[in-house]
Amino acid sequence: IQELLRVMRTIDDRIVHELNTTIPTASFVGKVDPGQTCKELYESLMDAHTSRERIIKNCISQTSAVVKTLKEEREKAPEDAALLKQLRKEQTKLKLMQSELNVEEVVNDRSWKVFS
């Protein structure tokens, strides 16, 4: 999932470049509608942010359900070492997904500040 998010954050990583290519220079002002291209960039940013947030929250939801199930199984079999190992692995994955949500918020804020 981290690789997918990295690829999906390309638009945010290149926001300055995107803005520089969106706003026409004086020689191109008649050939390009800066309002329309700016609107398209805004919509692309919104779509990217919405998609990434939805993916992260979906992963958190799914991983939370797995953790809950494993905890219930662990209560029934407290001596099962393999179950404990799997539970710890899923809990780590859940924490990673929750931290990705925080990273997403920082990335989004930075992009909107640059865009504004």
Side-chain angles (χ1 to χ4, degrees), residues 4 7 13 21 28 49 51 53 55 62 67 75 77-78 81 85-86 89-90 93 99 104 106:
L4 174 65
V7 170
D13 294 340
T21 58
F28 287 100
H49 293 175
S51 296
E53 185 176 343
I55 288 169
Q62 289 178 4
V67 167
E75 288 175 9
K85 186 176 179 180
Q86 187 179 3
K89 181 181 173 185
E90 290 299 320
K93 189 166 132 182
S99 70
E104 185 63 22
V106 170

Side-chain angles (χ1 to χ4, degrees), residues 2 8 26 37-38 40-41 44 47 50 57 60-62 65-66 76 100-101 106 111 115-116:
Q2 287 181 314
M8 292 179 76
T37 53
C38 193
E40 289 170 4
L41 178 58
S44 293
D47 290 345
T50 302
K57 286 183 176 181
I60 288 172
S61 175
Q62 289 178 4
V66 170
K76 295 174 187 172
E100 280 298 327
L101 200 55
V106 170
S111 293
F115 187 85
S116 295

Side-chain angles (χ1 to χ4, degrees), residues 2 5 8 11 21 31 33-34 40 46 53 56 58-59 61-62 75 77 79 86 89-90 92 95-96 98 106 109 114:
Q2 287 181 314
L5 290 172
M8 292 179 76
I11 189 168
T21 58
K31 300 174 185 174
D33 180 8
E40 289 170 4
M46 286 295 293
E53 185 176 343
I56 294 169
N58 188 26
C59 286
S61 175
Q62 289 178 4
E75 288 175 9
E79 301 299 319
Q86 187 179 3
K89 181 181 173 185
E90 290 299 320
T92 301
K95 288 177 186 173
L96 178 68
Q98 290 168 335
V106 170
D109 287 347
V114 170

